[in-house]
Amino acid sequence: MPVDLSNGKPLAWDSAKLDADTTAMLDNLQPNILQAHVRESMSLLLVHFGDGPDGRRFLRSLVPLMKSARKHLEEVRDFNRTKKSGTPYVGVGISKIGYLKLGHSTTRFTDNAFKSGMKRRKDTLSDPAVSAWEKHYQEEIHAIVLIGDATPEPVAATRARVLALLPKTAKIVGEEKGEGLRDAQGRGIEHFGYVDGRSQPLFLADQVAAESGTNWNPFFPLSHVLVSDPLAPHPARHFGSYLVLRKLEQNVRAFREAEEALADALGLKGDDRPLAGAMLVGRFRNGTPLRLHGKPSSEGHPVQNDFSYRDDPGAKCPVGAHIRKANPRDSRDGGLERALGVMMARRGQTYGGRTDRPWDDAPAATRPTGGVGLLFMAFNASLQSQFEFTQQTWADNPDFPAEGTGHDPVIGQGKRDAKVRYPKAWDSTKLSAPQRQVPQTVTMKGGEYFFMPSLAYLKSL
């Protein structure tokens, strides 16, 4: 029987009762989709094919370097039990124009955003003009090869093997390198200094069991991230996912200046000043959620994620805070039903070197104004209904969830004309005077939409 992607239970991937079709799905699905692969060091190769048949042969030749989702999950289980390291991650995505170059029709793909390509969606997303993107993103990108592991050495070795397979008719139009950024406690952070990567949708039974709480259910069905691979030998058993890639440059100095200006405007002093940044992000730098605490929890405490906004109209966590705009949970600003429909499996990585400590309180003037940021990557079952909806309808909409909420302070794009108000203190219904929105401190430098096909499709080329 066909794989039931809408099953209301998490996938017990290692169950002895797994049916043949689900087994085939896992054996032909690329890794990093259902569960994040270790990618402290990453190389993203953006490929252009000069010849379609050569491109097909190149993609097929990558299969021996790749592994299935099942193999990846087995490696994760072995690492958790014995600390045995796994093999490097190699992933392959193909753009709409890439499929055409390979000689395929794209009529069986159902996502209009994918079939348009990111360049033609810039107005939907309030992106900069394509002429302002970094040069390699202005070119035709037919495929992406993602390489990742815990350390740079295996990534470099695998990268060399991939490049050795590249035909003379193809070229690497650009390469991005990601390196994990961690705070003093070893937690993954982004360049503004905040713990990142929480509130992920979970699909597997062992993940859900470890994360589930009473206020937030992290389980999402497979239909949230997987779709049939329309060009695979057996689309009912072979699946893939739509990947969005966006290079987001962060002006850390400007964001820190905005934090200080807001703290001044709210009259925050001493140990209370970090509350200003938390009001913009929704968490303190160490990950403490503003919904639960008015001050950062003590170091060593697990980053909490079991909370909702249903009883908080904005007195604790402002409704315009980044994590609330991007994931309203079961609150009055959007409802859990919509949040369940749009949440993405985020797999991004930071880029750019730092000589300072991003998590500390050093003066804003010492922070970088560019050259660092996030390689935003996320898997979707629908680019339109998930990524584009989140960006356009929530992050870029100054009137979501209510008039005058303002843009998402972190990822929102577009003119920031509306003035916003903040609680004067944590858990206070008294609001500040209207404030200018913080300036846009994240700039989109380029990107593309890809489909991550099944291994069965790649083998068939």
Side-chain angles (χ1 to χ4, degrees), residues 96-139:
K96 179 263 182 89
I97 57 175
Y99 276 108
L100 295 177
K101 187 68 178 181
L102 296 174
H104 290 299
S105 167
T106 57
T107 57
R108 283 186 280 176
F109 288 95
T110 58
D111 191 281
N112 287 329
F114 170 73
K115 292 198 286 187
S116 296
M118 192 175 291
K119 294 182 179 69
R120 296 175 63 186
R121 308 294 285 187
K122 69 177 184 62
D123 293 335
T124 298
L125 300 170
S126 300
D127 283 341
V130 174
S131 60
W133 294 11
E134 291 185 353
K135 186 177 183 303
H136 51 281
Y137 288 109
Q138 296 180 36
E139 298 195 33

Side-chain angles (χ1 to χ4, degrees), residues 266 279 314-315 421-433:
L266 297 178
M279 285 186 176
R421 304 177 77 184
Y422 299 90
K424 284 191 172 182
W426 186 72
D427 201 14
S428 172
T429 57
K430 294 182 179 181
L431 299 178
S432 70

Side-chain angles (χ1 to χ4, degrees), residues 66-83:
M66 303 173 71
K67 59 189 169 189
S68 68
R70 174 190 288 280
K71 176 63 175 176
H72 172 219
L73 294 173
E74 289 173 346
E75 289 183 353
V76 171
R77 182 180 58 190
D78 290 345
F79 177 80
N80 290 336
R81 290 175 177 175
T82 67
K83 302 303 178 185

Side-chain angles (χ1 to χ4, degrees), residues 315-351:
K316 294 180 179 178
C317 181
V319 293
H322 165 59
I323 69 168
R324 191 162 181 171
K325 288 271 280 187
N327 178 20
R329 304 194 179 211
D330 51 346
S331 67
R332 59 193 76 187
D333 28 301
L336 181 61
E337 292 76 19
R338 284 200 293 173
L340 279 172
V342 304
M343 200 173 183
M344 299 164 279
R346 306 185 313 280
R347 303 290 186 256
Q349 185 54 283
T350 48
Y351 74 87

Side-chain angles (χ1 to χ4, degrees), residues 1 17 21 72 140 155 182 192 194 251 303 314 316-317 321 338 363 388 420 422:
M1 60 183 293
K17 298 180 181 179
D21 284 322
H72 172 219
E140 279 195 0
V155 172
R182 294 187 175 272
F192 291 150
Y194 288 79
N251 185 335
V303 176
K316 294 180 179 178
C317 181
R338 284 200 293 173
E388 289 196 345
V420 298
Y422 299 90

Side-chain angles (χ1 to χ4, degrees), residues 19-300:
D19 63 82
D21 284 322
T22 305
T23 298
M25 180 269 287
L26 289 172
D27 286 339
N28 287 280
L29 183 68
Q30 292 194 47
N32 200 38
I33 300 174
L34 297 184
Q35 176 159 322
H37 196 288
V38 60
R39 56 198 188 285
E40 285 293 293
S41 181
M42 286 200 79
S43 174
L44 280 58
L45 302 175
L46 306 176
V47 187
H48 177 95
F49 298 126
D51 178 78
D54 278 354
R56 294 166 71 102
R57 284 188 286 271
F58 169 69
L59 294 177
R60 186 176 65 230
S61 73
L62 294 178
V63 174
L65 302 181
M66 303 173 71
K67 59 189 169 189
S68 68
R70 174 190 288 280
K71 176 63 175 176
H72 172 219
L73 294 173
E74 289 173 346
E75 289 183 353
V76 171
R77 182 180 58 190
D78 290 345
F79 177 80
N80 290 336
R81 290 175 177 175
T82 67
K83 302 303 178 185
K84 177 185 176 183
S85 297
T87 55
Y89 163 55
V90 177
V92 170
I94 305 171
S95 68
K96 179 263 182 89
I97 57 175
Y99 276 108
L100 295 177
K101 187 68 178 181
L102 296 174
H104 290 299
S105 167
T106 57
T107 57
R108 283 186 280 176
F109 288 95
T110 58
D111 191 281
N112 287 329
F114 170 73
K115 292 198 286 187
S116 296
M118 192 175 291
K119 294 182 179 69
R120 296 175 63 186
R121 308 294 285 187
K122 69 177 184 62
D123 293 335
T124 298
L125 300 170
S126 300
D127 283 341
V130 174
S131 60
W133 294 11
E134 291 185 353
K135 186 177 183 303
H136 51 281
Y137 288 109
Q138 296 180 36
E139 298 195 33
E140 279 195 0
I141 301 171
H142 294 149
I144 184 171
V145 181
L146 304 98
I147 307 166
D149 210 331
T151 58
E153 291 77 15
V155 172
T158 304
R159 176 183 178 277
R161 295 179 68 184
V162 169
L163 294 179
L165 298 169
L166 193 71
K168 293 181 178 179
T169 55
K171 63 178 180 179
I172 304 298
V173 298
E175 180 177 8
E176 302 290 358
K177 293 186 177 181
E179 293 292 338
L181 192 64
R182 294 187 175 272
D183 65 14
Q185 285 70 42
R187 294 170 299 216
I189 61 174
E190 48 71 53
H191 278 284
F192 291 150
Y194 288 79
V195 166
D196 198 20
R198 299 296 292 138
S199 302
Q200 293 277 16
L202 303 181
F203 311 101
L204 307 177
D206 49 354
Q207 293 178 321
V208 172
E211 178 84 7
S212 290
T214 57
N215 295 294
W216 168 248
N217 179 8
F219 165 64
F220 291 77
L222 295 177
S223 59
H224 201 74
V225 72
L226 299 183
V227 293
S228 293
D229 183 346
L231 301 180
H234 301 288
R237 306 175 79 188
H238 301 148
F239 293 83
S241 187
Y242 291 104
L243 172 71
V244 51
L245 165 67
R246 288 164 74 81
K247 185 174 185 178
L248 304 177
E249 184 179 58
Q250 294 175 252
N251 185 335
V252 182
R253 182 179 302 176
F255 188 81
R256 285 298 179 90
E257 289 172 345
E259 290 178 312
E260 294 297 323
L262 180 57
D264 290 342
L266 297 178
L268 299 173
K269 300 183 183 301
D271 291 343
D272 290 329
R273 289 183 69 80
L275 181 61
M279 285 186 176
L280 299 177
V281 175
R283 293 182 186 268
F284 289 93
R285 286 180 203 157
N286 71 352
T288 302
L290 199 55
R291 171 64 180 87
L292 299 180
H293 304 284
K295 291 184 180 294
S297 58
S298 50
E299 296 299 345

